[in-house]
Amino acid sequence: MNISVIFFLGLIIALIGVIPPGLLNMTAAKISLKEGHNRGIVFSIGVCFIVFLQTYIAAMFARYLSNHPHTVEILRQVALVIFILITIYFLFLAKSSPKPDIDSHTKSKQSRFFQGIFLSAINVLPIPYQAYMTISIAGFGWFAFDPMSILTYCSGAASGTLVMLYVYIFFFDKIKSKKLTSQKSMNKSIGVITGIVALVTLINILMDF
């Protein structure tokens, strides 16, 4: 597979995963509002450094699972059920809650780069997400577990995360004014994303029959 395609697969998959407002992108937006865009970018670079490492770990785990197809099939079926339930919850059951205002006046002297590293490190969800997505695109024949492909994919994932954090940093005021960061919109975004992942999972399972 062409490394450019692998890079953009990593970029798109990571970008989709960071679209819903969450701890990392909202923190990047908050820092940008309080301390300026440059500080927000420094924070985002710290985040992406860990994302690269997490994606690499996920790819290694996925490579191990790819050598145990029976285990992968069980995980896919479990993941399908989980993603369907999450989609139903966020689209139809989740309730909106008041969103706290972001204080844009206080300055912080702490290192935003290391804050990005810390917050990204405690957010371990990208590891199972990337492991599953890596196995899925490998199942479609779009990815191989050779060192160059893995490093290229990890670079794409880090870049995709940076792109979405950049969007939050520079366009948060517009996003906020259009109420795209409301709890209701966040729930719908998560529901749509998990629904897409569930559909991809189902297609992958059916292709193996």
Side-chain angles (χ1 to χ4, degrees):
M1 178 63 66
N2 189 291
I3 60 172
S4 297
V5 175
I6 295 173
F7 178 86
F8 282 106
L9 282 173
L11 186 149
I12 293 170
I13 289 172
L15 187 148
I16 290 173
V18 191
I19 288 176
L23 174 64
L24 298 177
N25 43 31
M26 295 304 288
T27 300
K30 180 177 179 179
I31 292 172
S32 177
L33 287 176
K34 290 167 61 176
E35 304 172 24
H37 295 333
N38 289 339
R39 298 278 279 174
I41 292 174
V42 170
F43 170 84
S44 301
I45 292 173
V47 170
C48 294
F49 176 76
I50 295 299
V51 167
F52 182 95
L53 297 179
Q54 288 175 329
T55 306
Y56 185 83
I57 293 171
M60 293 296 100
F61 182 60
R63 184 171 68 178
Y64 169 80
L65 290 177
S66 69
N67 295 323
H68 300 78
H70 179 66
T71 303
V72 173
E73 186 58 35
I74 294 174
L75 289 176
R76 281 178 180 167
Q77 293 173 8
V78 172
L80 176 61
V81 175
I82 292 174
F83 284 127
I84 290 175
L85 292 176
I86 293 175
T87 301
I88 293 172
Y89 173 77
F90 279 106
L91 287 180
F92 304 108
L93 303 177
K95 303 294 184 182
S96 298
S97 59
K99 181 178 174 296
D101 292 332
I102 292 180
D103 179 13
S104 60
H105 302 291
T106 308
K107 283 269 186 178
S108 172
K109 295 181 180 180
Q110 62 183 302
S111 170
R112 292 309 185 185
F113 176 79
F114 289 106
Q115 183 186 13
I117 287 178
F118 173 74
L119 291 182
S120 186
I122 64 176
N123 177 35
V124 297
L125 289 178
I127 295 177
Y129 170 73
Q130 286 290 1
Y132 173 74
M133 295 307 296
T134 305
I135 290 174
S136 297
I137 61 176
F140 284 115
W142 299 341
F143 181 76
F145 291 103
D146 60 88
M148 179 59 69
S149 296
I150 291 174
L151 290 176
T152 301
Y153 182 85
C154 292
S155 299
S159 299
T161 302
L162 184 61
V163 168
M164 185 49 59
L165 292 178
Y166 183 93
V167 170
Y168 270 85
I169 287 171
F170 284 92
F171 300 102
F172 181 75
D173 284 334
K174 294 181 180 179
I175 294 173
K176 185 179 178 183
S177 65
K178 293 179 181 179
K179 299 182 179 180
L180 293 180
T181 54
S182 68
Q183 185 67 41
K184 185 177 180 180
S185 297
M186 173 178 159
N187 292 339
K188 287 184 178 180
S189 297
I190 296 174
V192 169
I193 290 171
T194 54
I196 293 172
V197 175
L199 180 60
V200 172
T201 304
L202 179 61
I203 293 173
N204 232 341
I205 292 173
L206 294 176
M207 286 180 63
D208 289 338
F209 281 111

